[in-house]
Amino acid sequence: QLQASGGGLVQAGASLRLSCAASGLTFSSYAMGWFRQAPGKEREFVSAVSWSGRRTYYADSVKARFTISRDNAKNTVYLQMNSLKPEDTAVYYCAARGGGTSYSSYDYDYWGQGTQVTVSS
């Protein structure tokens, strides 16, 4: 089970940190990803981190603004979001994949329920 939290309503330029707590799986064996879905749009890749935390990947739209990290001792993955923009508004989902990271949502095995991020201009 994955439980995402940390979303909210903020103004442009603000920061938020999303968390995703995992239970019922061997967290350290899973690559973790963050995806987002805005109204009327398809779910899109945001960021991913390898099981060890050493390799991270970002969508071009969030590179240099977002940082993904994980704490395997706490079974939690984080997404630090800085300099938020109105176009970042979406429901953010965390996902777990047994094996390596992937940019494709179809490759992930488990999904959290999503947390809403709304950025006002």
Side-chain angles (χ1 to χ4, degrees), residues 19-103:
S19 300
C20 175
S23 60
L25 54 83
T26 307
F27 182 74
S28 59
S29 298
Y30 285 79
M32 298 298 296
W34 286 97
F35 292 77
R36 66 187 182 187
Q37 188 166 18
K41 295 188 176 181
E42 292 187 354
R43 191 169 297 188
E44 65 173 0
F45 171 81
V46 175
S47 183
V49 60
S50 63
W51 65 269
S52 67
R54 293 195 195 101
R55 292 186 298 276
T56 58
Y57 306 88
Y58 299 93
D60 288 344
S61 59
V62 306
K63 208 171 287 184
R65 297 189 299 122
F66 291 10
T67 302
I68 192 170
S69 62
R70 65 188 296 161
D71 185 338
N72 286 346
K74 295 183 178 180
N75 288 356
T76 302
V77 62
Y78 305 98
L79 186 68
Q80 177 67 42
M81 306 186 296
N82 298 330
S83 302
L84 283 161
K85 304 175 180 180
E87 51 264 43
D88 294 319
T89 296
V91 177
Y92 283 71
Y93 298 90
C94 59
R97 181 175 191 256
T101 54
S102 173
Y103 293 94

